[in-house]
Amino acid sequence: MIKRKSAKEALDAILMSIKAYYKNYMQKPLYQNGERIAYAGRVYDEQEMVNLVDSALEFWLTSGRYTEQFEKKLAQYIGVSFCSLVNSGSSANLLAFMALTSPLLEKRAIRRGDEVITVAAGFPTTVTPIMQYGAVPVFVDVTLPQYNIDVTLLEKALSSKTKAVMLAHTLGNPFDLNAVKSFCDTHHLWLVEDNCDALGTVYAINGVEKLTGSVGDIGTSSFYPPHHITMGEGGAVYTNNPLLHKIVRSMRDWGRDCICPSGVDNLCGHRYDNQYSELPHGYDHKYVYSHFGYNLKATDMQAAIGCAQMEKLSSFTERRRQNWQRLYDGLKDLRDALILPESAPDANPSWFGFLITCKNGVSRNDLVQYLEKNNIQTRMLFAGNLLRHPCFDEARESGSGYRVVGTLETTDRIMRDTFWIGVYPGMNDEMIDQMISIIHRYFREEIK
């Protein structure tokens, strides 16, 4: 009689075969000169695939043990008390902002018509939650070559309606956290760090090194494939504030008042004991809603990939820094024609990309098209100037819904003249050197 394998033995055999599959069929060949160089991509090995299959075979599907493990790992890494996994970085920004509108925050809650200081040079979803809620984004200009908020404009942007500052660390380069945090503390404002492009960036706050995302009241991350780690789709919201954490969890989980995780009932032991608002006494607490919320959870399969990615994050960050520095060293002789990026003082960025701004006489469009034709993928600094986009047509025509302090001259310059190329950890020295070579060739052959 053939002895049947136990479930564990069968699972172990499947996972071993996954490792073999990766090694035999999934490992990428070395870069060959002339191949397309993407600005970003997934970097993974057999462990991500093993975790993914392990989670899939468990078939829990929604958030579960891998989610809990990932949230603990990420919170510990960043240096915060609480972390909530969500389904995208955009959802993370939505939750971060919406948490600040909760009635539980009383006088500090953001209300419709209140103002939030931000910038237009960046990704739309840093601003979208503000607009859609009915708060007023107040846009100020940025500086070159750091591509972050001009902190000298903060006091000018302040009004009696200001409640928060919500900013992204541009392509891994942190904004002046010392100045912005001091400004927020002085005026009792919330600070939201959009950390989606900067996971692993270190900043010295009054001489003490901290990871970006841990300095403000709330930080956010994205785990879309180009980002510092990936789950395919995914994001996170993190904080040291237990009340904000409670609000984030409620709004992420349909707006529930109950803290029970998926598949758990009556964790508090008082599911049917209490009176809530105008509901009947003893109404099932699992279906009591203290906020207008959403279902923004990620799946446990995504979290399983993220757990494996977390083990690689430090090496990914180091490689990003090495690639960025190699690009800088290889292009610095072109500074008469190009503005090269500079890291913020007091910072050691975990770079998302390498920003380049063309000086007068150099066409950004011509250079970008030359690079693309020569198999080097490029990207704009996202919106460039968000206010110039069709989504702002109605607000711009009506003259309401937002406020601009001063001019956005540098923001417009970025929109016209700036692009970036990749530094992701899947790039090796040969790929970096190829990009340097092609850019030099453009100036030798195309610029007369």
Side-chain angles (χ1 to χ4, degrees), residues 38-222:
Y39 81 96
R42 305 158 300 163
V43 180
Y44 65 97
D45 59 26
E46 67 271 17
Q47 194 55 54
E48 281 83 352
M49 297 184 72
V50 165
N51 280 17
L52 177 60
V53 172
D54 181 42
S55 174
L57 292 176
E58 188 176 30
F59 219 72
W60 181 251
L61 303 184
T62 188
S63 56
R65 64 184 176 95
Y66 275 113
T67 297
E68 183 178 356
Q69 181 182 341
F70 179 83
E71 289 172 341
K72 288 179 179 178
K73 281 188 174 185
L74 186 62
Q76 184 178 24
Y77 173 82
I78 293 170
V80 294
S81 300
F82 308 105
C83 175
S84 297
L85 182 63
V86 296
N87 57 10
S88 74
S90 298
S91 293
N93 281 346
L94 173 65
L95 276 180
F97 176 78
M98 291 302 294
L100 301 181
T101 70
S102 169
L104 297 180
L105 299 178
E106 299 176 343
K107 291 182 179 180
R108 291 199 68 190
I110 296 174
R111 305 295 184 211
R112 288 171 177 80
D114 285 341
E115 294 183 347
V116 181
I117 298 171
T118 189
V119 299
F123 203 75
T125 57
T126 312
V127 176
T128 300
I130 305 168
M131 295 287 294
Q132 291 188 335
Y133 176 74
V136 178
V138 178
F139 294 102
V140 299
D141 211 355
V142 297
T143 63
L144 286 173
Q146 285 86 20
Y147 301 90
N148 280 307
I149 186 169
D150 183 347
V151 295
T152 66
L153 299 172
L154 285 170
E155 292 290 343
K156 294 179 182 178
L158 185 70
S159 80
S160 60
K161 295 182 178 180
T162 308
K163 285 285 187 71
V165 176
M166 187 167 178
L167 298 166
H169 300 296
T170 303
L171 291 198
N173 200 22
F175 56 82
D176 187 341
L177 270 165
N178 278 313
V180 174
K181 182 69 164 60
S182 176
F183 172 77
C184 289
D185 289 347
T186 298
H187 298 288
H188 307 292
L189 308 176
W190 299 110
L191 173 57
V192 179
E193 291 181 76
D194 180 339
N195 200 39
C196 289
D197 292 349
L199 186 62
T201 289
V202 177
Y203 194 95
I205 299 293
N206 299 319
V208 179
E209 288 191 344
K210 292 189 174 183
L211 286 172
T212 53
S214 69
V215 179
D217 296 286
I218 306 180
T220 63
S221 280
S222 172

Side-chain angles (χ1 to χ4, degrees), residues 24 34 48 69 101 116 127-128 139 157 181 199 266 291 301 315 338 374 380-382 447-448:
N24 290 325
E48 281 83 352
Q69 181 182 341
T101 70
V116 181
V127 176
T128 300
F139 294 102
K181 182 69 164 60
L199 186 62
N266 206 19
H291 295 98
M301 293 177 288
S315 63
L338 303 174
N374 284 276
M380 302 294 105
L381 184 51
F382 308 124
I447 300 291
K448 307 298 183 185

